[in-house]
Amino acid sequence: SASGGAFEVAQFPCLGDNYGYLIHDPKTGQTAAFDTPCATAYKKELERRGWTLSHIFNTHKHHDHVGGNKELKGDGVKIFGPASDGNIPGMDVPLKGGDKVSFAGSEAEIIGRFILANICVNHQCNDSCLILNIAF
């Protein structure tokens, strides 16, 4: 777990050989999960921190990346994933290069082709920036 700038980041074990990741913006209350190997681990971490899930960003359709999608998808949770991989459970928004996505009050752009996406969330008010490389 790390805290810096406007975001709080949590890393926690999943499935014994994997990790879960959550990024939370205290200002907007939004929380994003990056892949969902295990719904139980995510629910436990969200509850422990008092966060509510709003976004799920999946990198690809393998079960150890999307296994928790259906159980975690609740009211207001949007699931994003690569447009080239239509078999992602519960996917609401298929993404490809040039698409834009909103998180934490800012807009991010998917850069490049479906193989690699750089999501940059830039808070203009405090100059904090979060850059994530997500392989699609």
Side-chain angles (χ1 to χ4, degrees):
S1 166
S3 182
F7 297 106
E8 297 175 38
V9 179
Q11 177 185 1
F12 48 94
C14 284
L15 301 179
D17 66 347
N18 214 329
Y19 287 94
Y21 298 92
L22 293 168
I23 296 176
H24 177 73
D25 177 34
K27 187 174 180 180
T28 64
Q30 290 186 324
T31 303
F34 291 86
D35 286 332
T36 60
C38 172
T40 302
Y42 275 83
K43 285 180 176 182
K44 182 178 174 183
E45 191 68 22
L46 288 162
E47 183 178 332
R48 186 174 83 75
R49 294 177 176 275
W51 297 349
T52 301
L53 189 62
S54 58
H55 296 68
I56 296 173
F57 293 101
N58 289 128
T59 58
H60 61 284
K61 67 181 178 181
H62 292 164
H63 185 72
D64 63 337
H65 291 261
V66 302
N69 276 13
K70 286 185 180 178
E71 195 174 335
L72 289 168
K73 184 173 173 106
D75 291 340
V77 177
K78 290 231 184 234
I79 298 178
F80 301 80
S84 62
D85 204 350
N87 295 323
I88 292 180
M91 183 165 60
D92 299 300
V93 183
L95 298 171
K96 61 188 180 317
D99 286 347
K100 294 189 182 342
V101 63
S102 180
F103 176 73
S106 295
E107 192 171 74
E109 182 173 357
I110 305 302
I111 300 171
R113 298 175 311 190
F114 61 88
I115 295 170
L116 180 68
N118 291 319
I119 295 180
C120 179
V121 180
N122 186 2
H123 284 249
Q124 307 259 339
C125 59
N126 62 10
D127 294 328
S128 67
C129 187
L130 171 68
I131 299 175
L132 300 162
N133 288 326
I134 303 174
F136 280 168

